[in-house]
Amino acid sequence: MKSDKKLIDENGKRLDGRGPDQLRNIKIEAGVLHRADGSCYLEWGGNKVIAAVYGPREAIPKHTQNPLKAIVKARYNMAAFSVDDRKRPGPDRRSQEISKVTSEALEKIVLTDQFPRAAIDVNIEVLDAEAGTRCAGLTAAGVALADAGIPMRDIPVACAAGKIGAENNDGMFSGGFVVLDLGKEEDNFGNADLPIAIAPRTNDIILLQMDGHLTFDEFEHALDLAMKGCQEISKLQKEALLRRYKSDVEVEE
Ligand code: UDP
């Protein structure tokens, strides 16, 4: 969507005061649910997300089983009260799409061949949404999977970069700034959004989507920013897991 709203000033300062390469505030807590095998609560700007992992356990119905490896079933759900205009409860095309790409991304990183015929269920519930919920959900899922002790190549992490503030001259986009981690207004009125997920140790890309238009150079810049964002968030994921582990050890002592 295009608007005359000024999303960034001449000095690169954004509406919420962030610079072009700054993330919104992120808080991560691992192990928040007692009945799940692994869980995570994550706040990312105005997003609030819970991820709960169950399994590995026998995949049901049986015809969904793969005799050679586990299936990873991510289910992304946005609560009706999570957005300004109440969302109709239940699955819709958008949540099905996000569930599918999240499942595929996680399947690349979980060592699925260790659990033939099993299912690993990853439930992602968005309680409060403010742009970037697929990245927040996948990042929380990564922590919840690690909390559940699921063997993985790495802890997956996601982040987006995008383009805002381009001028529209007769339908042509020109100028604009490539920035990290679009906020709500930037997502609504910006020109492009590039969410990615990676395996942070190797920088292997496990999810890449793009909404809007970027030139090749802008794409490279946005990808580089999103990768750096992922690395920053990866540290927060590990800190959250260490805090969780330490609190368990203290309780046992
Ligand atoms: N959104 C909304 N109602 C909906 C779906 C989305 O208000 O039914 C908002 C929500 O804040 C979301 C944003 O639009 O975070 C952007 O949605 P998008 O599909 O781009 O996914 P996201 O950026 O959350 O990964």
Side-chain angles (χ1 to χ4, degrees):
M1 201 192 295
K2 184 70 195 141
S3 93
D4 295 332
K5 209 179 219 348
K6 199 165 186 188
L7 296 173
I8 190 160
D9 70 14
E10 309 68 39
N11 305 318
K13 196 166 171 197
R14 297 154 73 177
L15 282 181
D16 57 6
R18 280 187 291 156
D21 55 0
Q22 246 179 309
L23 289 166
R24 288 172 286 177
N25 284 337
I26 298 179
K27 261 176 35 190
I28 308 180
E29 198 180 334
V32 289
L33 303 174
H34 295 294
R35 286 187 192 87
D37 293 312
S39 59
C40 173
Y41 172 67
L42 180 144
E43 289 181 7
W44 183 329
N47 294 312
K48 294 192 174 77
V49 177
I50 286 219
V53 167
Y54 298 85
R57 58 189 179 184
E58 187 185 7
I60 295 171
K62 271 205 153 134
H63 70 82
T64 62
Q65 294 181 356
N66 183 330
L68 302 179
K69 58 178 192 165
I71 50 170
V72 180
K73 283 196 289 187
R75 188 181 136 276
Y76 166 102
N77 181 52
M78 196 172 228
F81 52 80
S82 68
V83 286
D84 288 335
D85 297 323
R86 181 180 178 276
K87 185 197 160 289
R88 194 162 179 264
D92 52 21
R93 285 178 68 93
R94 177 176 171 277
S95 62
Q96 282 178 29
E97 175 240 329
I98 298 178
S99 299
K100 180 176 189 290
V101 295
T102 305
S103 300
E104 287 169 0
L106 298 178
E107 221 159 60
K108 291 193 185 81
I109 223 160
V110 172
L111 299 178
T112 51
D113 48 0
Q114 294 194 7
F115 308 102
R117 299 204 307 275
I120 296 164
D121 292 293
V122 183
N123 294 282
I124 298 164
E125 296 289 331
V126 178
L127 307 176
D128 225 336
E130 196 206 52
T133 56
R134 74 192 63 211
C135 291
L138 202 148
T139 300
V143 174
L145 283 163
D147 182 44
I150 307 278
M152 295 188 281
R153 263 178 273 285
D154 204 344
I155 301 172
V157 57
C159 184
K163 182 176 154 187
I164 56 171
E167 302 289 326
N168 191 342
N169 302 321
D170 303 326
M172 296 288 288
F173 290 107
S174 62
F177 287 80
V178 172
V179 296
L180 182 64
D181 184 27
L182 300 189
K184 180 89 182 103
E185 305 253 272
E186 296 174 336
D187 195 44
N188 286 355
F189 303 113
N191 309 112
D193 190 17
L194 178 83
I196 64 162
I198 63 166
R201 274 191 298 139
T202 54
N203 273 344
D204 283 345
I205 294 173
I206 54 171
L207 175 144
L208 190 152
Q209 298 186 284
M210 189 163 110
D211 186 13
H213 298 279
L214 292 174
T215 64
F216 189 73
D217 285 347
E218 285 166 350
F219 175 84
E220 290 226 304
H221 184 187
L223 188 60
D224 183 53
L225 269 186
M227 287 270 192
K228 287 188 179 133
C230 282
Q231 292 297 344
E232 227 176 286
I233 301 160
S234 172
K235 284 192 201 130
L236 301 177
Q237 288 177 307
K238 286 172 191 152
E239 282 166 18
L241 286 161
L242 284 172
R243 271 198 306 276
R244 152 87 163 133
Y245 172 75
K246 280 193 186 132
S247 67
D248 265 7
V249 173
E250 277 160 20
V251 170
E252 275 167 28
E253 275 170 3

